[in-house]
Amino acid sequence: MTAHIPPDRSVPSQEAVDLVVALQRCLTNFHANKEEPAILDGEGGEQQDALARYIEARRVRSTLFGQNLFSDPAWDILLMLYQAELEGRSLTLEQLSETLRLSLSTVVGQVGVMERRGLLVEHRSSPNSRRRTAQRPSPLAMDAMASWFSLAFSGDD
C-alpha cells in the first residue's frame, strides 16, 4: 500500500484491497465499452480538504528531502488532475509542469503513458501547441481515485 495510514487507523484488509482491484477491473471493462461518467466520484466536497492536505504534504516532503528523492511524477500529475476535476477545472501540460516543478518533457511523457492506459483524456486543445492541451482524468481514473481515497483516508467509524 502506498498511502500512509495513520497509527490510529487499521490497514485495509487484503480482502478489501482485492475487492477494490476487482471493482477497478469491472470499471475498466465498463468504461472501455462506452463513454460513461464516473460512478464513484460523488460531489467530492468532503474529499477536497483532505486531498489538498495530502498534496501539500507531498510538496513539503520534496522541500525538506529534495525534489528527486521521492520522485513519482505520474502519481503527482494524477493527484493534481484529480484535485482540479473535483474543483471543476482542468490543467494544461504547462500548468502541470510549473506547479509540480517537473520538466515539460517529463509531464508530456507521463501524460502520454496515462492516456494510453485510459486514465487521462484531452479536455480541449489549442491548435498551436500540444503543451496548451488541457488534461482531465477519465471516468475510469475518477472511479479508481475515489476508491484509492476511500481506502487511504476514510475511517471505519
Side-chain angles (χ1 to χ4, degrees):
M1 181 132 203
T2 58
H4 170 70
I5 307 292
D8 60 331
R9 290 218 178 119
S10 62
V11 175
S13 69
Q14 186 60 45
E15 185 176 287
V17 172
D18 291 343
L19 180 62
V20 170
V21 170
L23 176 61
Q24 188 174 4
R25 287 186 185 135
C26 290
L27 290 170
T28 300
N29 292 333
F30 178 73
H31 292 301
N33 294 330
K34 54 187 166 186
E35 184 59 34
E36 291 289 336
I39 57 177
L40 295 178
D41 62 342
E43 297 277 326
E46 295 177 9
Q47 295 181 5
Q48 290 177 351
D49 290 339
L51 184 61
R53 284 192 309 273
Y54 178 73
I55 290 171
E56 182 59 25
R58 289 178 67 84
R59 283 189 192 131
V60 169
R61 182 185 71 179
S62 291
T63 302
L64 294 173
F65 295 101
Q67 182 80 17
N68 296 325
L69 184 60
F70 301 108
S71 181
D72 195 356
W75 182 241
D76 291 330
I77 291 167
L78 195 54
L79 282 169
M80 292 299 299
L81 290 173
Y82 182 60
Q83 181 182 42
E85 186 72 15
L86 290 177
E87 295 171 354
R89 58 189 178 88
S90 57
L91 296 170
T92 66
L93 299 176
E94 287 175 330
Q95 290 169 322
L96 287 166
S97 175
E98 290 170 14
T99 303
L100 296 171
R101 297 183 191 142
L102 296 170
S103 72
L104 190 57
S105 62
T106 298
V107 171
V108 169
Q110 293 297 321
V111 164
V113 169
M114 288 188 279
E115 282 177 334
R116 286 189 294 279
R117 292 188 182 188
L119 295 173
L120 300 181
V121 294
E122 288 183 5
H123 177 58
R124 63 178 186 270
S125 60
S126 165
N128 300 329
S129 173
R130 167 121 169 86
R131 294 178 301 175
R132 297 198 184 276
T133 300
Q135 298 293 319
R136 293 179 70 181
S138 68
L140 170 64
M142 289 300 293
D143 290 336
M145 291 300 288
S147 297
W148 164 79
F149 192 92
S150 293
L151 278 174
F153 294 102
S154 295
D156 30 10
D157 298 332

